[in-house]
Amino acid sequence: MASENSPLLAYRLLGDEGVAFSASGAGGPGGASARKLSTFLGVVVPTVLSMFSIVVFLRIGFVVGHAGLLQALAMLLVAYFILALTVLSVCAIATNGAVRGGGAYFMISRTLGPEVGGSIGLMFYLANVCGCAVSLLGLVEAVLDVFGADSTRSSGLQVLPQGYGWSLLYGSLLLGLVGGVCTLGAGLYARASFLTFLLVSGSLASVLVSFVAVGPRSITLAPRPGPNGSSLPPQVGHFTGFNSSTLKANLGAGYAKDYTTGAMMTFASVFAVLFNGCTGIMAGANMSGELKDPSRAIPLGTIVAVTYTFFIYTLLFFLSSFTCDRTLLQEDYGFFRAISLWPPLVLIGIYATALSASMSSLIGASRILHALAQDDLFGMILAPAKVVSRTGNPWGAVLYSWGLVQLVLLAGKLNTLAAVVTVFYLVAYAAVDLSCLSLEWASAPNFRPTFSLFSWHTCLLGVASCLLMMFLISPGAAGGSLLLMGLLSALLTARGGPSSWGYVSQALLFHQVRKYLLRLDVRKDHVKFWRPQLLLLVGNPRGALPLLRLANQLKKGGLYVLGHVTLGDLDCLPSDPVQPQYGAWLSLVDRAQVKAFVDLTLSPSVRQGAQHLLRISGLGGMKPNTLVLGFYDDSAPQDHFLTDPAFSEAADGIQEGGSPALSSLFPPPRAPGSPRALSPQDYVATVADALKMNKNVVLARACGALPPERLSRGSGGTSPPHHVDVWPLNLLRPRGGPGYVDVCGLFLLQMATILGMVPAWHSARLRIFLCLGPREAPGAAEGRLRALLSQLRIRAEVQEVVWGEGAGSGEPEEEEEEGDFVNGRRGDAEAEALASSANALVRAQQGRSRGEGPGGPEGGDGEGGPATALTFLYLPRPPADAARYTRYLALLETLTRDLGPTLLIHGVTPVTCTDL
């Protein structure tokens, strides 16, 4: 069974092989038994504790003291506005299908694809890792503020040594405690979180009561270090109780230096600290693999938690502004303990919320990492994170994350990491909003979430708000995060990811392509914007690979369709044999690196199938205008799969990943003398049918002789110089005069010019040959042609050739009407002689380009000039009498014999324009 299950299979329906799939899916660490957390314990509690974190106890004074009440409320509204927009997107995605382990990563990756989802998932993982370190550093700061040996507070337990090394040690010990709880599983974490929730709620209740119950008091603050290592006199802060003067003094901003870092605070730096404390909205979503009903629990629990925390933050901002002067707020971030009725309860709340936030970040990070490892996006680097216990707990991912948090603790300061963590969270939130926006814009019928309080406006505003705040908070961190995301996306694109997740980009492309196809009006076509739109009919791609690549070079940004006719009658078959073939043909297109669509049909005959494809291939204004066929001759087809490096495969016929080799999906080339699916009569009839449908026709002969560098996608500048010869007149009806300027001749010139625009053919020299009769004066026709080429902006060498030169006999005595030879109004012997003479004439000019002289290889001077790489010849119309089709094909064979790679072309539509 495929690694990715449909939403129906996720609800324990049986798959193709009778295997029951649990609701956890591939992304969850455990089976159905691991899904046991309720909405309250699994979403509300961890989200509330994560959104409070250390900020609610240690940074309320920091925010209000520096920003003032008005700006603090503005920051809170902006922060929660961004969070609310993201919550709406999370709710929409979570209620649109089964959510498995990995939370936000799962939502993003299954919407935007593995490249973008994997890169943002890894960045969201790093944000959780850094968030865990921030919570631990805040906890260490709070502990040392009371129990540190250098603390100025009147505590009898000032026994802990202080300094960078000691702080790192304390953080490491606390990290070991947090990692131990997370290693034992989500059940223990949920029970510990609930106990912590009770402690934090009790502590906050005591703080709120203290604002009302405690009377005015003066609080002596810890002395700050002076400029020369001396200590400044201690300052005194005042708790005034509810006082309008205190509120008035705290309304405006008063940014000053942060006493923990010595840095001057600004709106952006204060907002970064505040927002970092509010970024826990994904804590519940990260536990999606352990929730009983994640599609209901995630939206409901997240909305409840966001509403509750917003109310508490707003209340604390108002109470602090009414009762505490700015000195107390700016110089003592832990002033709650100084004004509390029972200070130890505040300490308990600080320690409990910091531990809980760190546990939430660590266990969330481990679940994201485990989902990344299960999806195998980063290879062996994340292999240890796949390890799980018997109960489904990903302890390997926990230990992996524990090690990274330990490295982050080396930063040492809480506010130092705040901006980086905030930016990483904002990137993840923007990605969630972008995912929901993409689904909404794609208008896919299967995107119908039960949560409907969102629109594309909220998603777009969420994306814009997140990106704006990223650069306001820290332009350097924002630019670095986007650069990191781009590098990770490029890495994942190079590695290749699962194709069975479903890409919203495909839905968006479909939506946009349909819209623009409707606007592509064929009635507004103009010749100056003409481009070839090719339908190449392929019997077996093993023998047509060079032609397939040559046609890709001729399309000039136009439509390119590979057509194939499978012989059969659907009435006599149990199922359609064409549909299973599409995968092989699409793999062929990928391997050959051509930009082509695939169109297959079932028909009793190749001719009827070709008619089907000519009529129905393409859509709207993008329909083929040129039919390309390989030449019909008796030469044995070559198997180019054996010689082309792009098609080299393992000897056992199995590709990497276990899929069958491409060579096993197509039959071997036809053996010499074996029956053919197409008769000569039907081949010429197919050409005639295309011309009747007003389609241009290209017949390609001996394309297998083209050197590989001419068919490559790179530049051909280092290859030896060569010629592309164009004979823009019917060699089976040779005459001078203005015949070269007909529609078909101009079509030949246009196609040859288009080929010269391809990098692999840049070094080609275009030569145009004019045939002169014995009574024509040289120079006149050449002058007219050069003037035309100048108007058409075509650079080419023009050569006049006297008919019969190098060809012996065979010159017609009088001017023939069009089609005299192909329609049989002249004898077969005379027509054969004329075709043979024309062939000799073309070969003679090719020989002269190689320095062989008119006598062939023996008669040249051996200079070895540029060779002719490709010849363009005028293709006469097939005869009106179907009985003459076989003779017509024989004349074409004689005309092109031993000429090397040749394109016989007949154009029926005007393709050139001299106007601007």
Side-chain angles (χ1 to χ4, degrees):
M1 191 68 191
S3 60
E4 181 66 13
N5 313 318
S6 70
L8 291 179
L9 294 179
Y11 290 98
R12 299 198 62 79
L13 296 179
L14 291 181
D16 294 341
E17 299 169 2
V19 181
F21 293 90
S22 68
S24 64
S33 62
R35 291 182 172 267
K36 54 188 177 183
L37 298 183
S38 63
T39 301
F40 182 74
L41 290 179
V43 181
V44 176
V45 169
T47 304
V48 167
L49 293 177
S50 296
M51 296 187 71
F52 279 157
S53 66
I54 203 71
V55 173
V56 74
F57 288 105
L58 292 182
R59 290 297 182 266
I60 293 294
F62 169 84
V63 175
V64 178
H66 287 286
L69 177 61
L70 297 181
Q71 287 195 22
L73 290 176
M75 291 180 184
L76 189 68
L77 288 173
V78 171
Y80 270 80
F81 178 71
I82 295 174
L83 296 177
L85 294 175
T86 304
V87 167
L88 296 180
S89 299
V90 170
C91 295
I93 297 176
T95 58
N96 189 54
V99 180
R100 303 168 193 155
Y105 159 70
F106 181 86
M107 299 178 189
I108 296 170
S109 62
R110 267 50 175 190
T111 302
L112 300 182
E115 294 83 6
V116 177
S119 60
I120 295 178
L122 187 60
M123 294 180 66
F124 190 45
Y125 165 74
L126 294 176
N128 278 274
V129 167
C130 294
C132 178
V134 166
S135 298
L136 291 174
L137 289 173
L139 178 56
V140 170
E141 181 182 314
V143 170
L144 294 179
D145 192 47
V146 178
F147 301 106
D150 299 334
S151 175
T152 59
R153 299 187 181 278
S154 56
S155 172
L157 298 174
Q158 297 171 349
V159 295
L160 296 179
Q162 291 186 246
Y164 172 77
W166 289 106
S167 297
L168 180 61
L169 175 62
Y170 303 147
S172 301
L173 293 175
L174 292 171
L175 176 59
L177 174 63
V178 170
V181 174
C182 295
T183 304
L184 294 177
L188 179 60
Y189 161 75
R191 290 190 291 271
S193 295
F194 180 65
L195 177 61
T196 305
F197 180 77
L198 295 178
L199 293 175
V200 172
S201 299
S203 180
L204 282 175
S206 73
V207 170
L208 295 176
V209 172
S210 298
F211 274 112
V212 179
V214 173
R217 62 177 65 176
S218 297
I219 303 169
T220 303
L221 306 176
R224 304 300 176 205
N228 298 320
S230 59
S231 297
L232 297 175
Q235 301 184 69
V236 178
H238 299 89
F239 177 78
T240 64
F242 287 94
N243 189 302
S244 59
S245 299
T246 304
L247 175 63
K248 185 177 180 180
N250 287 330
L251 286 178
Y255 295 106
K257 287 186 177 181
D258 173 24
Y259 71 81
T260 64
T261 63
M264 187 67 185
M265 292 294 99
T266 62
F267 181 92
S269 58
V270 173
F271 179 80
V273 174
L274 172 64
F275 192 85
N276 177 65
C278 306
T279 50
I281 60 172
M282 295 294 186
N286 291 340
M287 300 299 295
S288 58
E290 283 82 12
L291 297 173
K292 291 180 181 177
D293 185 4
S295 294
R296 177 181 180 275
I298 291 176
L300 177 61
T302 304
I303 291 174
V304 170
V306 169
T307 304
Y308 174 71
T309 55
F310 178 77
F311 173 76
I312 295 297
Y313 273 122
T314 304
L315 185 59
L316 289 175
F317 280 2
F318 272 105
L319 293 177
S320 299
S321 301
F322 263 107
T323 59
C324 303
D325 70 355
R326 194 174 293 272
T327 302
L328 179 61
L329 294 174
Q330 287 185 345
E331 299 298 329
D332 185 5
Y333 299 155
F335 73 94
F336 282 175
R337 193 168 62 88
I339 66 171
S340 176
L341 290 171
W342 189 45
L345 189 57
V346 176
L347 287 179
I348 292 174
I350 292 173
Y351 302 157
T353 191
L355 277 174
S356 175
S358 59
M359 282 192 298
S360 175
S361 296
L362 184 61
I363 200 168
S366 66
R367 268 46 183 181
I368 296 171
L369 184 66
H370 180 71
L372 282 165
Q374 287 289 90
D375 289 335
D376 200 25
L377 296 181
F378 293 93
M380 295 300 296
I381 298 177
L382 300 184
K386 295 181 181 180
V387 180
V388 296
S389 65
R390 286 180 295 178
T391 59
N393 182 47
W395 62 268
V398 174
L399 294 180
Y400 209 110
S401 304
W402 172 86
L404 287 181
V405 175
Q406 184 64 61
L407 292 176
V408 178
L409 287 176
L410 297 173
K413 290 292 183 180
L414 170 61
N415 290 356
T416 304
L417 291 172
V420 176
V421 175
T422 303
V423 166
F424 274 24
Y425 275 120
L426 283 169
V427 170
Y429 295 165
V432 173
D433 290 322
L434 181 61
S435 300
C436 190
L437 176 65
S438 302
L439 290 170
E440 180 70 7
W441 272 353
S443 301
N446 281 324
F447 182 62
R448 43 180 185 270
T450 56
F451 181 87
S452 58
L453 299 178
F454 77 101
S455 70
W456 69 266
H457 304 85
T458 62
C459 300
L460 183 60
L461 191 57
V463 174
S465 301
C466 290
L467 294 177
L468 177 63
M469 294 313 301
M470 281 169 52
F471 284 95
L472 286 179
I473 291 171
S474 176
S481 64
L482 295 179
L483 178 61
L484 176 61
M485 183 181 70
L487 292 175
L488 292 173
S489 298
L491 172 65
L492 292 174
T493 301
R495 277 183 50 84
S499 59
S500 58
W501 289 1
Y503 293 76
V504 73
S505 59
Q506 295 296 305
L508 287 171
L509 286 173
F510 177 88
H511 186 269
Q512 294 301 309
V513 168
R514 181 194 63 84
K515 180 174 71 174
Y516 286 113
L517 272 176
L518 290 172
R519 297 175 61 180
L520 187 60
D521 192 344
V522 295
R523 295 169 295 181
K524 297 179 181 179
D525 283 347
H526 194 279
V527 64
K528 65 183 178 183
F529 301 120
W530 180 90
R531 65 183 71 228
Q533 304 198 79
L534 309 181
L535 170 63
L536 171 61
L537 289 185
V538 181
N540 189 335
R542 285 175 173 271
L545 202 53
L547 175 56
L548 189 145
R549 289 194 170 117
L550 179 61
N552 185 65
Q553 295 175 330
L554 286 170
K555 71 180 186 302
K556 186 51 180 175
L559 179 68
Y560 180 22
V561 179
L562 292 183
H564 174 73
V565 180
T566 299
L567 297 179
D569 187 351
L570 194 59
D571 290 339
C572 304
L573 298 171
S575 62
D576 184 8
V578 169
Q579 296 303 320
Q581 299 178 22
Y582 271 97
W585 284 88
L586 292 174
S587 298
L588 170 74
V589 168
D590 293 338
R591 192 76 67 87
Q593 295 183 321
V594 296
K595 298 177 181 178
F597 297 94
V598 172
D599 213 344
L600 311 179
T601 189
L602 180 71
S603 177
S605 71
V606 174
R607 180 186 177 186
Q608 291 183 25
Q611 291 176 359
H612 298 166
L613 294 173
L614 283 169
R615 292 186 186 280
I616 67 176
S617 290
L619 194 63
M622 295 188 66
K623 296 182 72 68
N625 56 29
T626 304
L627 174 66
V628 184
L629 296 170
F631 194 77
Y632 195 100
D633 55 21
D634 295 328
S635 61
Q638 303 177 30
D639 191 350
H640 295 283
F641 279 16
L642 301 179
T643 57
D644 195 297
F647 289 81
S648 59
E649 294 164 333
D652 58 0
I654 301 297
Q655 298 184 80
E656 184 177 351
S659 58
L662 193 60
S663 59
S664 65
L665 302 177
F666 294 102
R670 174 182 55 83
S674 60
R676 307 175 71 161
L678 185 65
S679 66
Q681 192 83 5
D682 281 350
Y683 177 83
V684 179
T686 301
V687 174
D689 292 341
L691 295 176
K692 290 176 183 177
M693 296 180 189
N694 203 37
K695 307 291 184 183
N696 311 297
V697 175
V698 177
L699 306 183
R701 183 171 191 182
C703 289
L706 284 170
E709 61 269 16
R710 299 286 170 234
L711 301 175
S712 66
R713 301 177 64 188
S715 173
T718 59
S719 60
H722 56 282
H723 289 146
V724 172
D725 293 348
V726 181
W727 298 76
L729 72 165
N730 187 353
L731 292 178
L732 299 185
R733 186 177 57 88
R735 64 177 182 177
Y740 64 88
V741 297
D742 68 358
V743 170
C744 185
L746 291 176
F747 189 87
L748 262 75
L749 293 176
Q750 183 80 328
M751 296 299 286
T753 304
I754 288 173
L755 186 64
M757 296 178 181
V758 179
W761 292 86
H762 277 172
S763 60
R765 301 174 185 174
L766 187 61
R767 297 194 304 178
I768 303 175
F769 292 94
L770 290 178
C771 287
L772 299 180
R775 293 182 293 275
E776 289 185 83
E782 179 182 349
R784 292 194 301 271
L785 179 58
R786 289 188 183 278
L788 178 63
L789 294 178
S790 177
Q791 289 181 314
L792 297 176
R793 291 88 60 204
I794 297 176
R795 299 177 60 184
E797 172 188 345
V798 179
Q799 294 188 14
E800 289 185 336
V801 179
V802 178
W803 177 254
E805 183 179 289
S809 61
E811 179 188 344
E813 295 298 330
E814 60 186 63
E815 187 175 291
E816 301 85 4
E817 296 183 10
E818 178 164 0
D820 279 351
F821 288 99
V822 297
N823 283 307
R825 287 192 285 270
R826 298 290 181 124
D828 289 347
E830 189 177 355
E832 180 71 21
L834 180 60
S836 179
S837 297
N839 174 265
L841 178 64
V842 175
R843 284 193 293 112
Q845 297 306 314
Q846 292 180 348
R848 286 184 176 180
S849 69
R850 294 189 295 268
E852 296 174 358
E858 304 294 333
D861 56 10
E863 292 296 328
T868 298
L870 185 62
T871 302
F872 286 76
L873 296 182
Y874 190 115
L875 174 67
R877 277 184 173 272
D881 183 5
R884 305 288 303 175
Y885 282 176
T886 304
R887 186 59 190 159
Y888 169 81
L889 187 58
L891 290 176
L892 296 183
E893 196 283 330
T894 302
L895 176 64
T896 58
R897 185 181 303 154
D898 299 328
L899 294 185
T902 304
L903 296 182
L904 286 158
I905 298 178
H906 192 97
V908 295
T909 55
V911 295
T912 57
C913 180
T914 59
D915 296 331
L916 182 64

